[in-house]
Amino acid sequence: MRRGSLIVFTGIDGSGKTTQAKLLVDSLNRDGLCVSYVWNRWEPFFLRPLIKKWKHNATKPTADNEPAGLSSDFNRIKYKKRKLLDNPFLRWLWLISFFVDYGVQVFVKVRLRLLRKCPVISDRTFYDSVIDQAVNLGKNRDWLLNSLDSFWMKFLFPKPDMVIYIDCPEEIAFSRKMDERTPNIEYLIERRELYLALAGKYNWVKLDGTLPIDEIAVQVKGKVYKKLGM
């Protein structure tokens, strides 16, 4: 296997991806292998000012047509985001902007590192960000998920040599990750459903995130070292 291999960790927030990715990097470094670690979740760059302004406006309660249950800023933003993306023109405009913005980031963070012919350990990958966007699209999500095998998706994002999916029940993951990125357990439930579907479709390496950290690390090391021919 070529040394410029891409090993990615994926799964819901709180499943243990970052911990296992960093343990793997430490192990490979100790064994004398040149390796790069990259945190590869999409963070808006070109779109950041626009998104920040829109979220600020979206948190303001609107008039009487706003449904009940939108007392939190998160629920209000979620509702208004889905309503906005129901418009086909705005949906396409948003997705094109997202893919361009994220594609540039992946080129800098991942593709350039792969040119060094060293393994790249990616904490999250485009699968995670596409799942986030699919959740935002609500009933329009299937098209986006089915596009993962399209030519343009493969052009924008390098295909991983190994995907390690760490699965974890939402209740446990939520207890580990109570921050602004994980506002409630429903956030994790919506995403885990899609992770499980993609893990089965693409035959990802699936590990039990409820096991002790050291036990998971041993499993990760065994599978990755075998893939790298070590």
Side-chain angles (χ1 to χ4, degrees), residues 68 105 142 171:
Q105 295 180 40
D142 289 343
E171 297 83 0

Side-chain angles (χ1 to χ4, degrees), residues 18 41 68 70 105 143 148 194 196 206:
T18 300
R41 186 172 192 163
L70 300 185
Q105 295 180 40
W143 171 86
L148 285 168
L194 301 183
L196 287 168
K206 183 181 175 183

Side-chain angles (χ1 to χ4, degrees), residues 52-186:
K52 184 177 180 180
K53 183 175 181 179
W54 182 85
K55 283 187 174 181
H56 174 73
N57 292 330
T59 56
K60 298 176 182 177
T62 51
D64 310 319
N65 59 348
E66 188 175 275
L70 300 185
S71 55
S72 71
D73 287 348
F74 173 77
N75 287 333
R76 187 169 286 113
I77 288 173
K78 178 181 175 181
Y79 166 74
K80 292 183 178 179
K81 189 183 295 181
R82 287 189 175 176
K83 188 175 180 180
L84 187 71
L85 295 177
D86 277 343
N87 182 302
F89 173 76
L90 294 178
R91 183 165 64 246
W92 276 102
L93 183 61
W94 167 251
L95 289 175
I96 291 171
S97 301
F98 158 72
F99 281 117
V100 170
D101 193 40
Y102 189 36
V104 171
Q105 295 180 40
V106 170
F107 178 80
V108 174
K109 289 182 177 180
V110 179
R111 287 194 185 275
L112 292 181
R113 283 182 167 87
L114 289 172
L115 294 176
R116 297 173 55 197
K117 303 300 181 184
C118 295
V120 174
I121 310 302
S122 181
D123 180 357
R124 298 167 176 79
T125 183
F126 66 94
Y127 292 119
D128 302 85
S129 297
V130 168
I131 283 174
D132 283 340
Q133 295 306 315
V135 171
N136 290 338
L137 294 179
K139 66 180 183 295
N140 297 301
R141 72 184 192 183
D142 289 343
W143 171 86
L144 182 58
L145 294 172
N146 292 334
S147 71
L148 285 168
D149 294 319
S150 65
F151 168 79
W152 59 270
M153 191 76 79
K154 293 176 181 177
F155 173 78
L156 286 171
F157 307 114
K159 182 180 179 181
D161 295 286
M162 175 181 281
V163 179
I164 299 174
Y165 167 57
I166 302 181
D167 186 47
C168 185
E170 298 88 341
E171 297 83 0
I172 295 176
F174 187 63
S175 69
R176 299 172 176 172
K177 195 77 175 176
M178 297 180 67
D179 57 30
E180 62 180 10
R181 289 188 177 276
T182 314
N184 53 45
I185 198 168
E186 287 74 21

Side-chain angles (χ1 to χ4, degrees), residues 7-11 24 162-166 204-205 207 220 224:
I7 310 295
V8 303
F9 287 81
T10 190
L24 176 61
M162 175 181 281
V163 179
I164 299 174
Y165 167 57
I166 302 181
W204 293 345
V205 174
L207 301 180
V220 169
V224 172

Side-chain angles (χ1 to χ4, degrees), residues 24 27 162 216-228 230:
L24 176 61
S27 178
M162 175 181 281
I216 300 173
V218 168
Q219 295 182 30
V220 169
K221 181 177 178 179
K223 293 180 181 299
V224 172
Y225 275 47
K226 182 179 179 180
K227 192 75 171 177
L228 294 174
M230 297 176 62

